[in-house]
Amino acid sequence: MEKEIDDLFLKARGEKVDQDKINNLARCMSEIPKIHPNLSQVRTKCKEIGLSLELYTIKLESLAKEMKGIEEENTKLENEIRYQTSIYEHLKELLISVEIKEDHFIALESESFDSIDGLCKIEKALEVLDNFSVDEYDIRIVREKKERINDALREFYRRFITYMGSFMVRSESTGELKVHKGLYGVIKRFKKIFQHSKRYRDYYVVMCSIYMARSKKLYEREFGFHLSTVLRILKEGVTQEKVDKIFETLFESYRSIIRCEARFLKNMEIEGTCKEIFRNTGLLIVEFVEDVYDAADIETLDGLGKSWKDVGDDEEAYGLFQKELRSAYERLESEYLNKKMGKGENGVWRLEEILSRSSNPELKRRAVVMGVQRVMENTGKRDLREIIRRWRLLDHAGRVCGEKVEELEDAEKRTESEFEKSCIDAILGDGRAVENVGKVLSLIDGEEGFRAKVIRKIREMVSNDVEEGDAEKIDKILRDAE
């Protein structure tokens, strides 16, 4: 209809109007009053629907608020249920934890340590009581249970310490030098008791101390008896072979025993070290070595010279012993050399005896060095006679030694240099070289090899420093002296 109205009123001028459209428009206009009541009804109905919609919206908002309240209430109820459930579970756990059978307490109080069945019950009881852990509950029933457990465990460890002390005392030494396998076997039965006792350190320390003290005493007795027996046998007939064998067997046995003891302490988790156990035993062995030295000095030093071993970081006890033994060896070696070599040049002439008797390279070298020191004590004297005497002694020491010793070589070089300076002055100082050579030769004594060495040195020194005629005379004198 809108299009038809537009066509009627918007026609261009002069354009013919469509009569049918006018008629159609007139008919429509006449129909409008007829539909007006219907439109009023539709509008009324729409208003009613709008009011209903507003009511439903209000109801929905009210329901939404109620739903939110219900949801919050449900959340509170769920939290309360979870809380009550948690309390229930904890209480159930607590009841299980505090429910310890009376049998376990009885086992700790009365079961025998000597029976396997008794030990099994004790170990089970210790495990159960040590696993009692309800520290998060500070309530009376828990406190009372913890007090009873602590009292029971402390009383048990006191009982075990008394028992341990009694059977350790019964483990007397048989006088044999050996690993304590029997004692190890007895103590190993109580390994779990030692492990559990760590929670009560005061008792754990006492238990460890009992074992350490008893083992220390046993080893001291065993080694003391063994060493006395060995010394008595040795004195019946001393030979180097016997001394070597005794030292080798003794030191290797001692080292093996220490290793076994160290493994046992570690396995049993006993607080203590082999150094504590074997401290006095090592001193006994050192004293034994000194007694052997009194009976066989050079054999002892030779035997010790073959006894030094490389020691690992995990062998602290044996390392300490070897250090003390080494100190004793050095003291005895010094004592022996001082006694045998005496003072001054006498020691050099006795050097050959020491070197021929000893097979110890360290002792030989020390003897040579000491001999050199004795010879060089009076280096302040610069006269030719004294210099030749020192050279002769050093030459003799080198011949009997037969090996390269740095201190000896240095001393001989210094002495030879002093001889060159002093000898040149003595021969050429007053212009009477031929006569003076004879005087120098009169100062030379000792072994034939030494005389030949000195004569060669004189020939080298004067050959180019004297007149030709004197050189021939000197050469003849030197040839006759050789």
Side-chain angles (χ1 to χ4, degrees), residues 414-472:
R414 291 200 308 272
T415 304
E416 186 175 341
S417 177
E418 290 179 14
F419 172 78
E420 290 178 3
K421 295 176 183 178
S422 183
C423 187
I424 286 293
D425 291 341
I427 293 175
L428 304 178
D430 57 3
R432 294 180 295 177
V434 176
E435 182 181 345
N436 290 337
V437 167
K439 292 180 180 179
V440 171
L441 289 175
S442 67
L443 301 176
I444 303 171
D445 57 1
E447 298 167 330
E448 184 177 339
F450 174 69
R451 285 181 57 82
K453 180 191 292 188
V454 177
I455 290 172
R456 284 196 302 272
K457 176 59 67 175
I458 294 173
R459 181 178 285 113
E460 292 173 5
M461 290 188 298
V462 302
S463 59
N464 298 322
D465 295 329
V466 297
E467 296 179 358
E468 185 176 348
D470 288 344
E472 292 178 357

Side-chain angles (χ1 to χ4, degrees), residues 347-364:
V348 178
W349 299 115
R350 301 188 67 177
L351 183 62
E352 187 171 4
E353 175 191 349
I354 297 173
L355 297 180
S356 63
R357 288 189 62 194
S358 176
S359 61
N360 185 342
E362 184 178 352
L363 175 63
K364 289 182 175 182

Side-chain angles (χ1 to χ4, degrees), residues 94-346:
L94 176 60
L95 288 173
I96 294 172
S97 298
V98 299
E99 186 180 0
I100 298 176
K101 293 181 180 179
E102 192 66 22
D103 292 348
H104 296 315
F105 292 100
I106 295 173
L108 295 182
E109 291 174 3
S110 58
E111 285 295 341
S112 172
F113 296 109
D114 296 320
S115 71
I116 296 177
D117 182 61
L119 273 178
C120 289
K121 291 179 180 179
I122 288 172
E123 290 173 1
K124 179 62 178 177
L126 289 174
E127 183 178 354
V128 171
L129 268 59
D130 276 348
N131 287 332
F132 180 80
S133 178
V134 285
D135 295 336
E136 64 270 26
Y137 302 109
D138 188 19
I139 57 179
R140 184 171 58 83
I141 186 174
V142 173
R143 291 196 298 270
E144 290 176 352
K145 184 66 70 173
K146 287 173 67 175
E147 288 175 5
R148 186 183 180 193
I149 289 173
N150 283 331
D151 291 343
L153 287 173
R154 289 185 177 279
E155 186 60 35
F156 165 76
Y157 288 124
R158 281 194 288 269
R159 184 168 78 93
F160 178 72
I161 287 172
T162 301
Y163 168 81
M164 185 178 176
S166 65
F167 87 75
M168 287 294 286
V169 169
R170 293 196 300 270
S171 58
E172 291 292 340
S173 170
T174 61
E176 300 178 61
L177 184 59
K178 61 181 181 180
V179 175
H180 294 164
K181 291 183 179 179
L183 183 59
Y184 292 168
V186 175
I187 298 293
K188 280 181 179 179
R189 295 191 297 125
F190 309 122
K191 181 176 181 178
K192 289 190 176 181
I193 295 178
F194 272 83
Q195 291 174 334
H196 285 291
S197 69
K198 288 183 177 181
R199 290 186 57 192
Y200 296 85
R201 180 162 179 78
D202 48 348
Y203 296 106
Y204 170 71
V205 170
V206 172
M207 290 158 57
C208 293
S209 299
I210 291 174
Y211 174 79
M212 295 288 290
R214 190 58 186 170
S215 292
K216 179 174 179 289
K217 190 172 183 179
L218 285 176
Y219 281 122
E220 289 172 10
R221 288 183 179 178
E222 290 166 357
F223 270 90
F225 181 82
H226 177 76
L227 295 175
S228 298
T229 303
V230 171
L231 184 62
R232 186 178 66 253
I233 295 173
L234 176 65
K235 287 181 177 180
E236 293 174 358
V238 176
T239 64
Q240 186 65 61
E241 182 181 1
K242 185 184 289 186
V243 172
D244 290 348
K245 189 64 177 177
I246 287 173
F247 283 170
E248 179 184 4
T249 304
L250 174 62
F251 298 150
E252 284 300 320
S253 298
Y254 184 50
R255 192 175 190 180
S256 297
I257 288 173
I258 292 176
R259 285 172 174 168
C260 290
E261 189 67 33
R263 284 195 294 269
F264 178 74
L265 293 178
K266 182 178 180 180
N267 179 263
M268 282 296 298
E269 300 179 26
I270 293 177
E271 187 176 89
T273 64
C274 286
K275 185 171 69 172
E276 299 172 54
I277 293 177
F278 292 99
R279 172 63 179 162
N280 291 342
T281 303
L283 296 177
L284 285 176
I285 297 176
V286 172
E287 291 176 4
F288 165 77
V289 169
E290 293 172 346
D291 291 338
V292 174
Y293 172 81
D294 292 337
D297 48 15
I298 191 66
E299 290 83 0
T300 300
L301 296 176
D302 282 356
L304 289 177
K306 305 168 188 175
S307 301
W308 312 125
K309 304 293 183 182
D310 292 332
V311 179
D313 295 336
D314 57 342
E315 294 183 282
E316 184 182 11
Y318 191 79
L320 177 62
F321 160 72
Q322 188 164 257
K323 183 178 180 181
E324 292 171 342
L325 186 63
R326 179 75 191 184
S327 178
Y329 166 80
E330 291 174 356
R331 177 169 47 80
L332 295 175
E333 181 188 65
S334 179
E335 176 185 316
Y336 174 80
L337 292 176
N338 285 325
K339 180 177 67 175
K340 290 295 182 181
M341 296 187 68
K343 296 183 178 180
E345 66 180 69
N346 291 332

